[in-house]
Amino acid sequence: MSGLIWSGTALLLGAAFWSDVRTMRIPNILTGGFFVGGLLLHSISNGWDGFWQAMLGAAAGFLPLLVLYLLRGIGAGDVKLFGAAGAWLGAASVLELMLYSMLLGGIGGGIYLLAVKAVRFKPAELSDTESVRKQTLVRFPFMLAVLPAAIVMKLLA
């Protein structure tokens, strides 16, 4: 069963990665379909106990990231993705994936921002107002951290 769970999760994360990197969106049909798939898998294999464990996993993936979404820290697709992943992985594993993802995202995002700042920093050429006006919002697809985090998590298991 563990192999099936990881195969389904890998398929979910691979498709979400592809979509997020290309379009900065994770489709609802993907997250919704995998959420239902996780519920069905665990319900069929473990009955009502499996269903409730999958629901607990989905809530563990969804609710903490909902707070980050409300603070405009991540997109709604990322929130729904972790809910779907939680339905497959369960509460403890989705929280572990979340931790690794945030660590790798923080490291990768920090390196990226430092590189952007180094390229943009030209104090002699721009006044403060012009410098602020010319800076644009930098978006970082969270899947650039989530997929490597899942790989690290699987390798450490």
Side-chain angles (χ1 to χ4, degrees), residues 47-145:
W48 283 108
D49 186 49
F51 173 82
W52 290 114
Q53 289 299 316
M55 287 297 288
L56 178 63
F62 185 86
L63 294 174
L65 292 183
L66 180 60
V67 174
L68 286 177
Y69 168 74
L70 294 173
L71 295 171
R72 299 186 184 264
I74 61 171
D78 299 315
V79 178
K80 292 177 275 187
L81 172 81
F82 272 86
W88 282 82
L89 294 170
S93 293
V94 80
L95 290 172
E96 184 180 357
L97 176 61
M98 195 181 302
L99 174 67
Y100 288 138
S101 298
M102 289 182 184
L103 287 172
L104 290 177
I107 292 168
I111 291 169
Y112 180 76
L113 288 174
L114 287 174
V116 167
K117 287 282 187 188
V119 169
R120 288 185 183 168
F121 185 68
K122 298 179 183 176
E125 296 177 19
L126 298 175
S127 70
D128 288 338
T129 354
E130 289 178 80
S131 177
V132 170
R133 195 171 11 133
K134 290 197 177 207
Q135 290 185 6
T136 58
L137 179 65
V138 176
R139 296 186 70 198
F140 181 81
F142 192 41
M143 286 306 299
L144 288 176

